[in-house]
Amino acid sequence: MELRYATFSDSPFVAWTVLAAIGMDNPSEKLLDGVTEMCRREDVLYSWRNTLIAEVSGRVVGALICYDGIRYRQMREVTFPLIAQASGNDFSSMEMETQEGEFYLDSMAVLPEYRRRGVATALLKAGVAQARSLNIPQAAMVVSPENPNAQRLYESLGFRFSRDMFLFGEDYRKMVLPIKG
C-alpha cells in the first residue's frame, strides 16, 4: 500500500469519501457529481488539497480528509453555504468541530473490499504524522456512537474521548490525541 497526497483528479474519490463518511456508500450520480464539484475547490473543508490517499497496486482504495484547525473557520464559511445550497440543510449555527491547536481528521472512507486490511490505520497514522510535522499540539476527530469498530480503532491508536458533540443533526463523540514533538 502506498500513501500520497490527493491530486485534482482524485476529486471524485474525495467526494465519495465525504458521502461514505456520513453513511452514503452508494450515492446517486447527481449527488456525487455535485459533491465532486465542491471537492475540486481549494477553499472548502472537503477539498482534494486536504486529502491523503491510499493506493493498492495503483488503485485508490481509501482517503482521509484532514487539515490544520486554524483554517477551519475560514473554510467552513465557504463550505457550509455550498452544503445549504445543494441540500437545503443549513448547518451554519452548528458548533465548531475543531479549533486552532488541533489537526482535524475530518472524514475517512475505505472501499468495502479493502476494509480490515490496515488501510484506515495507515491513513490515520499518516494524518497524525502530518500533525506532528506541522507542530500542532493535538489531533482530533469525531466518531458516531453507532460505530464502535471505528471508536475501537481510534482508541487503539491512542485517541481518547474528549466530549459529546451534536453535529449535522447527529450525536458524535470527539476524540483527541496529544501530539508529542
Side-chain angles (χ1 to χ4, degrees), residues 85-104:
Q85 180 182 8
S87 71
N89 295 316
D90 181 6
F91 298 111
S92 59
S93 63
M94 183 182 81
E95 67 180 301
M96 299 286 180
E97 295 171 80
T98 194
Q99 59 194 358
E100 186 174 340
E102 290 181 338
F103 191 77
Y104 194 58

Side-chain angles (χ1 to χ4, degrees), residues 4 6-12 14 36-37 39-42 48-49:
R4 63 174 174 79
T7 63
F8 183 83
S9 64
D10 292 311
S11 296
V14 176
T36 298
E37 284 306 309
C39 295
R40 287 184 172 137
R41 296 179 62 136
E42 296 184 19
W48 63 274
R49 288 252 187 221

Side-chain angles (χ1 to χ4, degrees), residues 59-161:
R59 180 181 183 200
V60 176
V61 300
L64 171 66
I65 300 168
C66 51
Y67 43 83
D68 186 339
I70 200 167
R71 297 175 33 230
Y72 175 75
R73 185 180 303 270
Q74 180 183 359
M75 289 186 298
R76 174 185 160 130
E77 289 174 2
V78 176
T79 306
F80 283 20
L82 293 171
I83 292 171
Q85 180 182 8
S87 71
N89 295 316
D90 181 6
F91 298 111
S92 59
S93 63
M94 183 182 81
E95 67 180 301
M96 299 286 180
E97 295 171 80
T98 194
Q99 59 194 358
E100 186 174 340
E102 290 181 338
F103 191 77
Y104 194 58
L105 309 178
D106 188 306
S107 298
M108 181 174 60
V110 176
L111 291 177
E113 62 269 31
Y114 285 89
R115 292 178 186 155
R116 300 200 184 289
R117 293 188 182 185
V119 176
T121 300
L123 285 165
L124 290 168
K125 286 181 177 180
V128 170
Q130 190 173 356
R132 186 174 285 113
S133 73
L134 295 170
N135 294 316
I136 299 174
Q138 92 178 0
M141 62 176 48
V142 296
V143 61
S144 168
E146 296 177 12
N147 193 344
N149 291 335
Q151 186 167 332
R152 278 192 294 277
L153 170 61
Y154 305 152
E155 288 171 345
S156 76
L157 296 172
F159 284 85
R160 296 294 174 248
F161 173 80

